[in-house]
Structure formats: C-alpha cells, structure tokens
Amino acid sequence: MFISDIRRRAISTSKLRLFNSRESGLLVVVLAVVILGGLFISGFARPSNFEQVLMSVSILLIVAVGELLVMISGNIDISVGSMVGVCAFVAASFAADNPEVSVLVPLALGATLGLALGAVNGVLVVVAGVPSIMATLGTLYVFRGADSLIAGSKQITASTVPESYLQLASARIFGVSVLIWLGIGIALAIGIWLRHTRSRRHLYAVGINDSAAVNAGIHSRRLVFGAFAASSLLCGVAGTLWGARFGTVTADAASGFDFKFWLPWLLAG
C-alpha cells in the first residue's frame, strides 16, 4: 500500500512538471498553428504537406542532436550551418561527377569531410584553448569562404546528379520517406546513448564542472573533442541529405540554416 502511494505521487509529480514546463507552452502554440492553418489555409492539413515539413525538419534534427552533445560538454558550435553547406556541395558535386558509384560513397564523403571540419574546431578548442564561441565564429566564416572557393559559380542541379543520389531523400520505407526514418533513428540512437551509457555521465560532468571532472579522472579533453567530432560528422551527413532533398546546391547552400537552427535553441532557453 505504501509503495503504491509513492508510485502514484511520483506519477502525479511527473505530470505536474510536464504541464508546467516551457516545452508544454511551445507545444500548445504549435498545435494552435496547425489547427488554425488547417481551418483557414487550403491544403494545409494534407498529409503530403506535413511530410514535406517533416523531411526538412529531419535534416535540422540530425544537426540538432549533434549540437546537443557539444552543448552538454559545456561548449557551443555556431559553425554548423557552414559545415552543412560545404558538405552538401562537395557530396553533390562528387555524385554529379561520378554517377556510376554507389550512393553510399558521397554519403561517406560528406560525413568524412564533416568529421575533418569538426576536428579543426576540436583542435582550436581543446588544444589551442580558444573559447568555443570564438573558435567556431571564426570557422563559420572560414568554412563558408572555403565553400565559395570550391564552388565558384558552379551550380549542381537535380538533372546533373544520379537518381540514386536523390533517392536518399525520396525513397520510402513503409510509405514514409527514408529521410524521416534517418532523422528519427539518429535522434533515438543519441537519446539511448545519453540515457543508458556510462560515458554520457562523464560528458555531463565535464559540462557541469570541467576541473572537478579532471580531478575525478575523467578525460575531459578527449570527450570535448569527441563531441565536436560527432557533431560535425552528423553535419556532414545532414549536408549530403540536404543536397539530395533539394536537388539544387550552390556556394550559398544552407545559408539560412543557422537562423533556423539557433532560433529553436534560443526559444528553448
């Protein structure tokens, strides 16, 4: 009887916290927008429209879960939009120039390039000791400038890339775009790691108090570098999918991505 009362109180407390959280207020606003849009905008409530929204959000989700690792470590990476852009162009350009190769090759190329860019950020923060916001503010412009140098005036269009590359976003599994499945799968994988592994506790400890974590024997520098590397690798994957999703890729690809990415973080606090 006593244990049952404790369980009921715990459930009631959890429900109360859920309704009092800031996220619940945002959920109400989103639901209100969806309902009003369905009532007053023709075609807004069509399943195809929601699918298009989810496909675009899935790319944002992949980048967001990577950035989450960086923020848990007590750092920030504001160069994610530039990394998505340069990886999108390089992967799409390679696919256009090599239509006979497997679609996994440009995907691996984008991920590898993203990992290399993240290593630059990691070295600046971990080895050189530059504050992460300053380091990534600089690399934001460096990576975007490198994208402009690589691309020049060249434009990759849907007609110049193989159909298999576009299928990265348009293929379906159980009637749902594979892009949506990828976004959900990556988010679930990171969520499971953050909830059930020992190393995630070390990452949280580094973010809360780096000095105390080092004194406890935690390899904080390795974890911070790994967080930047994982985040940028996911940016590389997201960039490749971005090219497959929209088809047309230029030097300013994903140029508005930073605003779309950081606004939800700011709203969430």
Side-chain angles (χ1 to χ4, degrees):
M1 187 70 177
F2 178 71
I3 295 177
S4 299
D5 290 338
I6 293 177
R7 288 178 177 175
R8 282 196 294 269
R9 290 178 182 177
I11 293 173
S12 299
T13 302
S14 299
K15 290 180 178 179
L16 183 62
R17 288 177 179 174
L18 176 63
F19 287 113
N20 289 336
S21 65
R22 290 174 294 180
E23 288 79 3
S24 62
L26 292 174
L27 179 61
V28 171
V29 173
V30 171
L31 290 175
V33 170
V34 171
I35 293 172
L36 292 174
L39 291 175
F40 297 104
I41 302 177
S42 177
F44 182 85
R46 291 177 182 174
S48 59
N49 184 50
F50 286 115
E51 183 183 41
Q52 293 298 316
V53 172
L54 288 175
M55 288 174 67
S56 296
V57 169
S58 295
I59 299 175
L60 191 67
L61 176 62
I62 293 172
V63 179
V65 294
E67 179 67 22
L68 176 63
L69 300 177
V70 176
M71 297 186 75
I72 289 175
S73 73
N75 294 280
I76 192 170
D77 185 352
I78 59 176
S79 67
V80 290
S82 296
M83 288 192 286
V84 170
V86 67
C87 292
F89 186 87
V90 170
S93 180
F94 180 86
D97 295 337
N98 302 273
E100 73 284 352
V101 301
S102 169
V103 69
L104 296 178
V105 177
L107 183 60
L109 177 62
T112 303
L113 176 58
L115 185 61
L117 298 177
V120 173
N121 286 336
V123 168
L124 288 174
V125 174
V126 175
V127 179
V130 181
S132 58
I133 190 169
M134 299 298 293
T136 57
L137 177 63
T139 56
L140 181 153
Y141 291 103
V142 171
F143 296 159
R144 183 60 70 179
D147 191 12
S148 298
L149 288 175
I150 295 171
S153 58
K154 185 178 179 180
Q155 177 175 319
I156 308 298
T157 63
S159 61
T160 60
V161 296
E163 183 64 25
S164 59
Y165 180 73
L166 299 177
Q167 286 290 318
L168 279 173
S170 60
R172 294 178 175 276
I173 300 176
F174 301 117
V176 179
S177 169
V178 68
L179 186 57
I180 298 175
W181 286 117
L182 282 172
I184 294 173
I186 291 173
L188 284 176
I190 297 296
I192 291 172
W193 180 82
L194 287 173
R195 186 174 180 85
H196 298 290
T197 64
R198 182 179 180 181
S199 55
R200 61 94 184 182
R201 298 178 182 176
H202 293 172
L203 188 65
Y204 276 108
V206 171
I208 294 172
N209 191 322
D210 181 67
S211 299
V214 172
N215 291 334
I218 297 175
H219 300 286
S220 64
R221 290 159 63 91
R222 185 184 304 171
L223 286 170
V224 172
F225 187 90
F228 275 101
S231 175
S232 60
L233 185 147
L234 291 177
C235 284
V237 173
T240 306
L241 296 175
W242 194 95
R245 166 76 175 90
F246 297 103
T248 300
V249 186
T250 60
D252 62 347
S255 57
F257 197 85
D258 300 288
F259 176 77
K260 294 178 182 178
F261 179 79
W262 283 112
L263 182 60
W265 282 108
L266 293 173
L267 291 175

